[in-house]
């Protein structure tokens, strides 16, 4: 296995489990877990490749770890999101949640989304993957000052 694949897969597994099985009902928690996924990927990479205690993780390595983790987590969560959005009961729940959040009352339905067809799901998946990858990237780059030991 490549030196990057195990930390990426382990970090992605932890993040997907946190967002699907152990859904924590705190506002902003998914963004925090995506940020932590990049941090965890760098941490696992550092722990596996400890041949030299003072060897630094480069920014390019951290970027690869963060983006790799973000793409995997984003793809899994986009798949779950798009399959759930095809259920009419889930569509109604989503519309009611949006209406409650915006303090609106409406009889909206997903007829327009259904008329868009698969393009809606492709765009939703692409945006989900992009957002999760960006947050995970920032988490991996933010981990560098904590994981790289200062040279003496």
């Amino acid at each position: 296995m490549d030196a990057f694949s195990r930390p990426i897969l382990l970090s992605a597994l932890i993040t997907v489990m946190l967002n699907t099985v152990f859904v924590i009902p705190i506002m902003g928690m998914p963004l925090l877990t995506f940020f932590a996924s990049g941090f965890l990927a760098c941490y696992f990479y550092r722990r596996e490749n400890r041949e030299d205690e003072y060897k630094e993780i480069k920014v390019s390595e951290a970027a690869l770890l963060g983006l790799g983790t973000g793409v995997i987590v984003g793809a899994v969560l986009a798949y779950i999101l798009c399959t759930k959005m095809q259920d009419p009961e889930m569509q109604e729940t989503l519309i009611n949640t949006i209406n409650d959040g915006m303090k609106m009352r409406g009889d909206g339905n997903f007829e327009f989304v259904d008329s868009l067809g698969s393009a809606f799901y492709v765009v939703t998946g692409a945006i989900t993957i992009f957002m999760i990858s960006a947050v995970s990237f920032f988490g991996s780059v933010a981990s560098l000052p904590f994981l790289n030991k200062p040279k003496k």
Side-chain angles (χ1 to χ4, degrees):
M1 235 183 191
D2 186 23
F4 294 104
S5 59
R6 184 174 296 173
I8 288 173
L9 291 175
L10 187 58
S11 174
L13 176 70
I14 291 170
T15 306
V16 168
M17 292 294 288
L18 282 174
N19 284 297
T20 56
V21 177
F22 306 110
V23 178
I24 303 169
I26 299 172
M27 186 66 102
M29 194 61 179
L31 286 177
L32 183 63
T33 60
F34 303 147
F35 188 83
S37 70
F39 193 94
L40 284 174
C42 287
Y43 173 75
F44 292 140
Y45 177 75
R46 173 83 171 152
R47 208 172 83 192
E48 280 189 14
N49 302 318
R50 301 190 232 189
E51 59 269 353
D52 183 14
E53 184 178 335
Y54 294 104
K55 182 181 179 205
E56 293 184 349
I57 299 175
K58 298 176 184 164
V59 175
S60 60
E61 294 171 338
L64 181 66
L65 290 164
L67 290 174
T69 303
V71 167
I72 291 174
V73 171
V76 170
L77 293 181
Y79 174 74
I80 292 169
L81 176 71
C82 290
T83 54
K84 285 292 188 184
M85 295 246 327
Q86 293 177 1
D87 181 28
E89 184 177 306
M90 182 59 87
Q91 291 173 358
E92 184 178 333
T93 304
L94 180 66
I95 288 174
N96 291 336
T97 303
I98 291 171
N99 286 340
D100 290 342
M102 296 177 67
K103 309 274 189 268
M104 294 175 39
R105 182 128 175 99
D107 297 328
N109 53 26
F110 269 66
E111 290 175 8
F112 178 69
V113 173
D114 289 338
S115 69
L116 288 176
S118 61
F120 172 75
Y121 298 110
V122 169
V123 171
T124 301
I127 290 172
T128 303
I129 291 171
F130 175 75
M131 287 176 43
I132 293 173
S133 296
V135 174
S136 182
F137 168 77
F138 287 123
S140 65
V141 172
S143 71
L144 292 179
F146 300 104
L147 296 177
N148 288 336
K149 302 224 184 235
K151 293 183 180 179
K152 293 183 179 182

